[in-house]
Amino acid sequence: PAALSDTILYLVRERGNEKTICPSEAARKLAGSDPDIWGAMMPHVRKVAIGLAREGRIADKVAALAALLAADLVRSRVVR
């Protein structure tokens, strides 16, 4: 989890204040280009990003996106 948090924070800092990142960028940075591997990481990546937003460690714009992702995760659990 620490490596994932660090990777997300690194990508956000590298991109700059007015830009966003896609959660898949963090997954691919850690897992490589195999979509089966980094794709399997995506639920965890989203949870970590949401946690970072709630902690105030990533920008408000990203926090709003994280809230939308959280809602999407909840809907996915209800439907399945």
Side-chain angles (χ1 to χ4, degrees):
L4 184 49
S5 294
D6 291 345
T7 300
I8 292 169
L9 292 170
Y10 169 79
L11 290 170
V12 169
R13 279 192 298 269
E14 184 180 71
R15 189 67 43 92
N17 287 336
E18 298 301 317
K19 308 280 174 118
T20 61
I21 67 163
C22 178
S24 68
E25 292 178 73
R28 285 182 276 135
K29 185 115 177 132
L30 289 171
S33 61
D34 184 335
D36 291 332
I37 297 172
W38 67 258
M41 292 179 64
M42 291 305 297
H44 187 63
V45 172
R46 288 183 184 105
K47 286 179 186 177
V48 170
I50 290 165
L52 289 170
R54 287 185 178 147
E55 292 171 6
R57 297 180 69 195
I58 53 181
D60 290 344
K61 182 170 30 174
V62 178
L65 176 59
L68 291 173
L69 288 171
D72 186 47
L73 290 174
V74 171
R75 274 197 306 274
S76 295
R77 289 189 183 133
V78 171
V79 171
R80 292 180 186 177

